Amino acid sequence: MLILADDLGRLSYAVAGDGPPVVLVHAGVADHRMWDAIVPGLAERHTVVRYDLRGFGASEAPTGPFDETDDLRRLLDRLGHERVRLVGASWGGRVALNFALAHPDRVRSLALLAPPWPGYDWSPDMVAYDEAETAALASGDIEAAVRVNLDMWLRGPAREWEDVTPGLADRLRGPMRTSLVNQGVVEEHSRSTAPGDLAAVSVPVLVGTGRLDVADFQDIGRRYAAEIPGASLVEFPTAAHLIALDAPAELLSVLVPFLDL
């Protein structure tokens, strides 16, 4: 891993391959390693950049106000990439979308995989998940909070653990623990970009949803696809929330032609 260090702290990132740049922005319960299975395929045609958001993976937790969009801009400046293809998962999808709205001249295309919708009216299942995570963190039981998140975001509501690819939970547990330990300070200091006008997005957009994901995120995916001009919606039958972990081959088969547009 390489390090971008400035007065706001240290961001960890990795670069692979050669060709037009594509940047992968991880989910809020993971880190850059969630993309491991698709990086080799993308790196055959692209320079693949992936990084750990502030407070995730090997990146330092924030000690003062920061903006995820500005972090991404500084990373691209450091690497000399004027215009990139962005792929974001879950919260990383929201970061990617905010960046595209704030810097439209720097984005060539945008793939959003199960992104959240600001102000969404969450279902009782999502409220119950949030309450369970909050209770676990309030009691200092990080491992219980990890289990709550693994159940919601990796297993999902539509399958049993025996239906999940063996080893995925073990791979995700460490990154998830780090995200939960730093969650409070990240939320305290984050000054993420305010949502912009989706109608202003003028680049090719792909929205991906997992059919085994929480119903809320399937609805949100359809909403993004309907409100972003020209956006296309792709459903992944074998995936829950973390599509890159559940269905890497299927995701790669969709991303390769999309990124060549």
Side-chain angles (χ1 to χ4, degrees):
M1 295 294 290
L2 303 170
I3 298 294
L4 167 64
D6 57 24
D7 57 352
L8 293 179
R10 294 157 59 91
L11 287 179
S12 178
Y13 68 96
V15 180
D18 186 39
V22 55
V23 180
L24 309 178
V25 192
H26 65 78
V29 292
D31 62 21
H32 77 280
R33 290 171 287 183
M34 72 168 288
W35 305 109
D36 281 355
I38 71 167
V39 167
L42 293 180
E44 293 177 2
R45 311 165 70 94
H46 296 277
T47 298
V48 182
V49 179
R50 49 186 174 145
Y51 70 107
D52 290 333
L53 293 165
R54 202 171 293 276
F56 294 82
S59 290
E60 289 183 345
T63 57
F66 76 102
D67 187 311
E68 286 92 346
T69 299
D70 200 44
D71 279 347
L72 178 52
R73 179 191 59 78
R74 290 201 309 279
L75 177 59
L76 297 186
D77 288 347
R78 162 73 173 268
L79 297 174
H81 296 318
E82 289 297 322
R83 197 167 184 226
V84 301
R85 296 150 172 84
L86 284 178
V87 181
S90 193
W91 175 245
R94 195 62 225 187
V95 173
L97 177 58
N98 287 348
F99 184 87
L101 290 166
H103 304 284
D105 58 326
R106 303 200 65 171
V107 178
R108 185 178 182 90
S109 64
L110 189 61
L112 308 174
L113 308 176
W117 185 281
Y120 188 79
D121 185 15
W122 297 110
S123 68
D125 285 345
M126 281 293 294
V127 172
Y129 147 75
D130 182 67
E131 291 175 346
E133 182 197 75
T134 299
L137 293 176
S139 69
D141 193 343
I142 293 295
E143 296 310 314
V146 168
R147 290 193 295 273
V148 168
N149 278 274
L150 285 172
D151 275 336
M152 176 59 73
W153 304 123
L154 183 57
R155 179 175 63 84
R159 60 184 176 180
E160 302 300 325
W161 273 112
E162 54 262 31
D163 301 318
V164 179
T165 301
L168 286 185
D170 289 337
R171 285 174 50 194
L172 192 57
R173 188 171 282 110
M176 188 175 284
R177 185 181 298 111
T178 299
S179 74
L180 289 166
V181 167
N182 292 329
Q183 180 172 283
V185 70
V186 169
E187 291 178 350
E188 175 187 355
H189 292 304
S190 175
R191 303 291 184 268
S192 66
T193 308
D197 181 9
L198 296 181
V201 179
S202 59
V203 297
V205 175
L206 170 75
V207 181
T209 63
R211 290 185 188 168
L212 305 180
D213 197 359
V214 185
D216 301 55
F217 278 92
Q218 297 181 55
D219 177 62
I220 288 170
R222 292 188 290 269
R223 186 179 297 189
Y224 274 118
E227 297 206 16
I228 298 176
S232 58
L233 177 66
V234 178
E235 296 181 324
F236 294 86
T238 63
H241 190 67
L242 301 173
I243 298 168
L245 292 178
D246 276 329
E250 294 86 346
L251 177 59
L252 196 59
S253 71
V254 171
L255 282 180
V256 167
F258 174 74
L259 296 174
D260 282 344
L261 293 176

